[in-house]
Amino acid sequence: GSIGVAVYPHDTRDTADLMRRAESAMHLAKRTEGNAIEFSSGDLNSDVRARVSLEGQLRRAVDHQEGFFLHYQPRVAAGDGRVVGVEALLRWQDAAGTVHSPATFIPILEETGLIVELGQWILTEACRQCHAWHQAGLPAVRMSVNLAAPQFRDRQMATSIDRVLAETGLDPNALELEVTETMLMADIEQVIRTLGQFRKRGVRVALDDFGTGYSSLAYLRRFPLDVLKIDRSFVADLQPSASDAAIVRTILGLADNLGLESVAEGVETAQQQAFLQEEGCQTLQGFLFARPQSAADCERFLARPASAIAHPGYRA
Ligand code: C2E
Ligand code: CA
Ligand code: CA
C-alpha cells in the first residue's frame, strides 16, 4: 500500500484541505516508488495543480493520439559490436513543445489505465518500424518493447500481440517484451501462463532492471524467460574491486546457469565495456554505443559496419 500523511494543524486547519493534502501525498508515494509513505508539505498545492494539469493533457493526448513518438536505442553484441537489437523508448511532446521524460508521465499513464490503450499503439509502431527495417535489408535486429504492469495483467494481451504481428507482418521471433521483477512476482501461476502464451508465439521475454526489485530465485527458474537485463545502477559504478562488480559477476553467472542472454544497460565508458566483455556479458546497451534516437538516426546507425561500433572510441 501507499500512504500519504497530512498533519493537523501543521499543514492546514481546514478539513477538506487536509484530506486533499493527504491524498496528493499518497499519489506522490505511488508515483515515486510505490509501497511508500509520503508526508504532505507546504507547497503541495502547486504540486497538485501541476499533476492535475499534466493528467488532463495526457488524457487528451492519448485520446487524439497527439505528441507521442518513439526513440530507439541500439543494443550491440559484446564480442563484435554487431547491432542485435533495438529498444523502443516512448517520448511525449506536449502542446507547448516540451518533450517529457517517460519517468514523469508513464507512472501517470499507468495509474490512470491510459497505458493500456497507448501501449497498443507503442507495440504496433515499434513492430511496424522493425519490419520496415527488415524489409529495407538492414541487419535483422530484434525490437524490444517495454510493457507496463496493467498491460501485462491484461488478459487480452496475447490476442493483441497476435493482431499487431499480423497487422505489421513482423516475425514473432523479432519481438521481445521487457517486463520487471515486480510484475512477475504477483500471481505466479497466472504469470507463468501469460509468459507461456508469449513463448508459444515465439515472442521473447526480457527481465528488465534486474537486481532492483524482488525476485524469488525458485520462481525465476520456472518462468519461461529469454533475457536478463542488468540494471544500469550496477553498471554505473563498476570498478573491478567494488561490490557492484561482484553483483554484476553474480548476475552474469545466474543468467548463464539459467540459459538466458545477458544484457548490461547504461554502458557509458570503455572501462565498463571492457569489464563486461571480460566477464562474458553477451550484449551491451548504453550511451557509449548509441543514445536513444529517432527512427531516421537509428536507421543510419544500423547501416554502419559493426567494426565501427565495437571500438566506439575510434569511430570517425
Ligand atoms: P528502461 O526500460 O530501463 O530504459 C532504459 C533507460 O535508460 C532509458 O531512459 C534510456 O534512455 C536510459 N539509458 C540508456 N542508456 C543509458 C546510459 O548509458 N546512461 C544513462 N544514464 N541512461 C541510459 P528513458 O528513455 O528516459 O526511459 C525511462 C523508463 O521509462 C524506461 O526505463 C522504462 O521503464 C520507461 N519506458 C520508456 N518507454 C516506455 C514504453 O514504451 N512503455 C513503458 N511501459 N515504459 C517505458
Ligand atoms: Ca527497458
Ligand atoms: Ca532497464
Side-chain angles (χ1 to χ4, degrees):
S2 296
I3 298 174
V5 181
V7 182
Y8 173 92
H10 173 267
D11 290 329
T12 176
R13 290 178 172 275
D14 178 71
T15 317
D17 195 30
L18 194 67
M19 292 305 288
R20 211 159 44 230
R21 282 166 186 263
E23 183 167 345
S24 64
M26 187 266 289
H27 280 299
L28 186 65
K30 270 194 187 171
R31 209 157 72 224
T32 42
E33 42 185 330
N35 295 330
I37 301 176
E38 275 291 339
F39 283 82
S40 167
S41 69
D43 52 11
L44 214 56
N45 263 329
S46 62
D47 273 12
V48 177
R49 270 198 299 275
R51 149 86 201 209
V52 169
S53 143
L54 190 59
E55 191 178 315
Q57 290 181 60
L58 281 166
R59 273 185 197 285
R60 273 191 303 280
V62 173
D63 278 353
H64 300 108
Q65 215 56 273
E66 265 169 15
F68 293 104
F69 58 98
L70 295 178
H71 269 177
Y72 300 93
Q73 186 180 35
R75 149 166 146 201
V76 307
D80 58 11
R82 244 174 339 111
V83 183
V84 289
V86 160
E87 179 174 358
L89 294 159
L90 183 64
R91 300 288 179 263
W92 176 55
Q93 184 171 34
D94 66 23
T98 310
V99 176
H100 296 260
S101 149
T104 60
F105 67 83
I106 294 226
I108 301 182
L109 293 175
E110 286 192 21
E111 274 176 48
T112 52
L114 290 166
I115 193 71
V116 175
E117 185 184 338
L118 189 67
Q120 192 63 19
W121 174 83
I122 298 170
L123 196 61
T124 310
E125 180 57 17
C127 290
R128 188 200 58 73
Q129 184 60 72
C130 190
H131 183 64
W133 284 333
H134 289 184
Q135 293 291 90
L138 290 159
V141 294
R142 282 209 166 86
M143 179 60 72
S144 300
V145 178
N146 291 285
L147 284 192
Q151 289 176 280
F152 187 66
R153 278 196 305 266
D154 183 4
R155 298 281 172 101
Q156 305 301 315
M157 196 58 206
T159 330
S160 301
I161 291 171
D162 285 340
R163 201 166 53 232
V164 170
L165 290 171
E167 216 176 282
T168 61
L170 184 69
D171 173 1
N173 253 293
L175 177 62
E176 191 169 279
L177 301 172
E178 298 199 358
V179 299
T180 60
E181 290 165 282
T182 330
M183 283 154 66
L184 297 188
M185 292 305 149
D187 172 355
I188 303 293
E189 297 308 323
Q190 179 58 36
V191 164
I192 292 175
R193 271 196 297 277
T194 305
L195 293 176
Q197 288 177 335
F198 297 163
R199 165 74 49 96
K200 207 168 71 197
R201 289 161 169 80
V203 172
R204 297 179 14 128
V205 179
L207 189 47
D208 202 2
D209 306 336
F210 187 73
T212 60
Y214 303 97
S215 275
S216 151
L217 296 183
Y219 290 140
L220 211 52
R221 211 176 22 147
R222 290 183 58 199
F223 294 140
L225 297 169
D226 303 281
V227 180
L228 217 52
K229 293 189 86 172
I230 306 172
D231 189 68
R232 73 181 138 93
S233 59
F234 302 118
V235 175
D237 306 314
L238 267 186
Q239 266 138 22
S241 60
S243 57
D244 277 339
I247 293 178
V248 169
R249 266 192 209 105
T250 307
I251 299 178
L252 288 172
L254 185 68
D256 195 35
N257 280 317
L258 293 172
L260 306 176
E261 177 190 331
S262 47
V263 181
E265 320 185 281
V267 182
E268 293 184 354
T269 69
Q271 286 90 320
Q272 292 163 351
Q273 178 191 17
F275 176 86
L276 290 159
Q277 276 172 333
E278 181 96 345
E279 296 296 331
C281 184
Q282 288 164 311
T283 42
L284 310 174
Q285 190 177 346
F287 294 172
L288 180 67
F289 308 100
R291 293 192 170 248
Q293 49 198 285
S294 69
D297 287 341
C298 191
E299 188 167 322
R300 277 189 282 279
F301 191 88
L302 290 175
R304 292 171 21 170
S307 58
I309 302 162
H311 307 285
Y314 300 103
R315 72 177 166 229

